[in-house]
Structures are given as C-alpha cells and as structure tokens.
Amino acid sequence: MEVRLPDLALKRIFSFLDVFSLLQVSQVNKDWNRVADSNYLWRAHSLQRWDCSSITDRHLGAFTWKQLFLHQRRKELRLSLAQPDNFTYKITKNTAYEAGLAYLSGNTFTMDEQEKSIICSVSAKGELCAWDVQEGTMIWSSPVQKFQFSNLVTLPQMHLVITADRSKTIKVWNCQDGDPLAALPMPKTCYCMEAHVTKDGPFLMVGDAAGDIYTFTLPELRDVSKVTAFQCAIVLLRCSPDKKWVFACGTYSRAFPQIEEGETAYEISSFQLAPHLEHPKWIGASDGYLIVFPSGPYLLLFSITGFLLQRFQDHQTPINNFWADALYVLTTSNNSVHLYMWEEGGRPPYLRSCCHLDNTWRDHMSHGFISCVKCDNASIVLKMTNITESSIMVMYSFNT
C-alpha cells in the first residue's frame, strides 16, 4: 500500500475482479475508488452480463456505466424477488398466429423506472404487429403478407424483427416502415432462427430442413457461412450468451452436439439422453457451458458434457411451454407460470427458482392453454390459444 501503482496498471489488475470484489477495492482509498469507478471496467462487466454492445457513452448522457450496471441489477433483483401481487395484467384479443411472440424492447438499458416493454406477434391475417405491454395496445402493424409467417425472432438492440414465411423467405423489419429492410429466399424451410450482436457486428443463424446452419449479417442478410450439422432437420438452435458456442438438435436425434463458431465450426461435445427422459421440444443456454430444458414436470439443468446439475419440480403437471434467455427462464404448466433466474457468472447453484404465477386469467379463457411465453425485466407476456375462440395475449407488468 506504500507504493502507488499507475492508473493503467491498477485498471489492468482490477479488470480481473468480479463485481463484488471491484466494489470492495473501491473502498480502500480515493485513488483506488477513482480507478474502480472507471467506465472501462463497468462497461466490460455490463457487456459480460448483458447483450448491450450497441450502447455507447453518448447514450448514457450524464450517467456512468457503473450507475447503469447497478440500476440494471436492481431491476433484476426486484423481479427475482417478486410475488404475484407485484404484477398487474391486461387481456388483449389479437388472434395471434402460432409463429409466436418476441420482445422488441428486450431487457432495456435505460435509467427510466417506468420503461416500456414492446412485444412483437404475428396475426392470423399474416401481419407483423408490435404491442405496448404496459398499455396493452397495438402500436404498429405491417401490410398483410402473401405468405403466412412461420418463424419470428428479434434483435432488440437494433430494433429489428426477423421473420421466415411459408415461401421459405427470410425478411428483416424495423417495425416502423411497411416494407422489409431486406429479403432472402432460402433453398429449404427454416425451422429455427437466432439473432445476436457480437464485437464483429449483428448476425442471424438459421437452421433448416436439410440439417444446415447458415449465418448471415444483419440487416443486409449477407451470407457468412454454412455448416452441415445433421442429416435431418434442425428443430432447436441456441447460441450461448457469450457467443462462444452453438447448441443444435436434429429432428430424429437424441444426441446433443455443440458446435463452436469461428472461421471453422466443429463439434466440441455431445451426449445421449437417458432413455426415461422425454426428447426436449425447447432448450435454453447459458454462459459456463450450461443447457436447460423441460422433461415432464421437471426442469433439468445439464453441463454440455451431459452431467445433471439440477432438477426443479415447481409444477405438479408436465411443463407444456418454456422460454429462456441470458437472464431468465420461464416454464408453464396447467396455465401457471414459474420464473427462474441465472446466477451471475455461471456460479453454483447456476439457476435459481423465483416466482410462481397462478392462472388468474382463467375466467377470460376457461378452455385455453398457454402456447407461448416471453419475459424481460419489466413484464411477462403469455399467448393463450383456444381451439374454438380467438387467441389472446396476457400481458403482465411488474410494478416497481
């Protein structure tokens, strides 16, 4: 402590610290506090935890990266500790098509406590629609398309929506103009898509009916690479939040290969499911080489080498819907919803059980079932489907 290190050396040393340790060293003295509060260190922690590479110092205004990081973590903590009484919900009939829902706002990075959540859906008429979750109102819709949409993903950081339709065409939208920004016909049907932002820019991954994984730039849809992963259709495709590996599953395969993306792609691990486990319809991925998926009433957390790390049973009946991102995991069963949260840094216990919402909307749709569920740090949205009635959206807003 008698020797004062240069700021550059201290900053380099502090860059190896986790958030808690960084907060501790900031209390040692004024010099360490000044270095530990630098935007460089807190931006690095923000990028490690969230997909916020599109945020610049100009977007922060008078705030620092440390303030933004701690503000985001407080919002996450409030949601993880939420009880059913902390939510209000709105019911909206929208005849949503089975292409699903996706957040356009995502886990937004603002200092506004009253931030808005924007959700995208596909109508039965063949329209792409954007909804204000807190108000329960539609704010934009595209013209009716000639071919029905079959898949939908979003890139909230760039306010982009990517769709695939029954003519095997991929389109990129900004949910403001009537016409797509780009369109690309594919040789085979697109079964799954993933959109992400990396240090090299935004990209889209597509798994098709032939077992190929394509990578395109966004929003131009310029071809980057093509990898043959299976000899059957790829029905599940997930990129890890740190963008280091891709998890794919084929239609007829009980094996789980992981493919690492770079100039070349290769399999880094695979394992067979135990015979008593159901083949998963959904999977989620987290940093630290973790995967999660439902099987019957259980939510199972595995390492990518096939080691079972955790088994949750927060539902008494089989899980019938599932959703996961880098922060949260949602499961539904018998018209109830359970929220989980990933532990920071991939540390044990890895995934934490948080909040359970019962079917308070049951009176509005007595014979419906949850066909889609999504979440950000301000809201939870469900799509309820009924064979004899129009579909509805149940929009939960978290009361801060």
Side-chain angles (χ1 to χ4, degrees), residues 197-240:
V197 176
T198 69
K199 59 182 178 62
D200 298 318
F203 71 94
L204 174 72
M205 301 193 72
V206 178
D208 71 5
D212 296 322
I213 300 175
Y214 291 85
T215 305
F216 303 101
T217 62
L218 287 172
E220 305 89 353
L221 292 178
R222 187 174 66 251
D223 186 26
V224 175
S225 66
K226 173 187 174 183
V227 176
T228 299
F230 294 101
Q231 299 303 313
C232 57
I234 297 176
V235 293
L236 294 175
L237 186 64
R238 293 291 182 271
C239 184
S240 67

Side-chain angles (χ1 to χ4, degrees), residues 4 30 41 43 129 147 151 189 191 222 283 304:
R4 185 183 182 280
K30 290 181 179 180
L41 295 173
R43 183 176 185 273
C129 307
F147 298 98
N151 211 326
T189 301
Y191 279 0
R222 187 174 66 251
I283 57 172
I304 63 169

Side-chain angles (χ1 to χ4, degrees), residues 14-127:
F14 290 174
S15 69
F16 294 97
L17 300 179
D18 59 25
V19 171
F20 181 73
S21 299
L22 188 59
L23 291 171
Q24 284 185 310
V25 300
S26 70
Q27 301 177 51
V28 172
N29 57 44
K30 290 181 179 180
D31 290 332
W32 283 30
N33 178 272
R34 175 173 45 79
V35 175
D37 281 358
S38 69
N39 274 342
Y40 170 81
L41 295 173
W42 287 98
R43 183 176 185 273
H45 279 294
S46 298
L47 289 172
Q48 183 178 8
R49 180 156 182 82
W50 303 294
D51 206 349
C52 59
S53 55
S54 61
I55 303 296
T56 64
D57 292 346
R58 180 174 58 86
H59 292 112
L60 296 181
F63 297 103
T64 66
W65 275 98
K66 179 181 179 180
Q67 289 172 322
L68 181 64
F69 182 94
L70 297 178
H71 180 73
Q72 288 294 119
R73 291 294 285 129
R74 282 193 293 269
K75 288 194 293 186
E76 292 176 13
L77 181 61
R78 285 197 299 264
L79 186 58
S80 68
L81 298 175
Q83 298 299 316
D85 291 343
N86 297 129
F87 291 89
T88 59
Y89 68 93
K90 295 181 182 294
I91 306 292
T92 303
K93 289 189 176 182
N94 73 324
T95 61
Y97 186 64
E98 286 302 318
L101 302 170
Y103 271 92
L104 186 56
S105 58
N107 294 292
T108 50
F109 292 85
T110 69
M111 299 296 287
D112 184 8
E113 293 287 352
Q114 303 300 322
E115 63 187 73
K116 294 289 186 181
S117 296
I118 307 298
I119 197 84
C120 289
S121 68
V122 174
S123 73
K125 297 178 181 179
E127 301 166 306

Side-chain angles (χ1 to χ4, degrees), residues 89-101 119 121-122 124 320-321 331-337 357-374 380-396:
Y89 68 93
K90 295 181 182 294
I91 306 292
T92 303
K93 289 189 176 182
N94 73 324
T95 61
Y97 186 64
E98 286 302 318
L101 302 170
I119 197 84
S121 68
V122 174
N320 55 25
N321 216 287
T331 56
T332 72
S333 175
N334 194 27
N335 290 343
S336 64
V337 181
L357 300 175
D358 289 322
N359 52 352
T360 53
W361 61 88
R362 193 63 165 165
D363 293 340
H364 298 274
M365 204 169 189
S366 57
H367 301 291
F369 62 94
I370 300 171
S371 57
C372 191
V373 59
K374 303 286 180 181
I380 297 174
V381 176
L382 318 173
K383 182 158 75 73
M384 301 287 297
T385 301
N386 193 310
I387 298 175
T388 60
E389 300 177 16
S390 298
S391 297
I392 65 170
M393 283 198 296
V394 183
M395 306 182 186
Y396 279 92

Side-chain angles (χ1 to χ4, degrees), residues 159-217:
H159 302 285
L160 294 178
V161 181
I162 304 96
T163 60
D165 63 29
R166 296 298 175 87
S167 70
K168 297 178 287 190
T169 299
I170 297 175
K171 296 180 180 179
V172 181
W173 310 76
N174 66 1
C175 277
Q176 293 178 351
D177 300 325
D179 297 322
L181 300 176
L184 178 69
M186 295 290 291
K188 299 292 183 180
T189 301
C190 305
Y191 279 0
C192 47
M193 300 191 298
E194 283 270 284
H196 294 280
V197 176
T198 69
K199 59 182 178 62
D200 298 318
F203 71 94
L204 174 72
M205 301 193 72
V206 178
D208 71 5
D212 296 322
I213 300 175
Y214 291 85
T215 305
F216 303 101
T217 62

Side-chain angles (χ1 to χ4, degrees), residues 280-295:
K281 298 178 181 178
W282 313 277
I283 57 172
S286 177
D287 292 347
Y289 298 98
L290 303 173
I291 57 172
V292 61
F293 58 88
S295 180

Side-chain angles (χ1 to χ4, degrees), residues 292-294 297-300 310-312 319 322 329 331 340 351:
V292 61
F293 58 88
Y298 300 105
L299 182 66
L300 305 177
Q310 284 182 298
R311 181 174 65 176
F312 298 92
I319 295 171
F322 167 90
V329 175
T331 56
Y340 304 85
L351 192 65

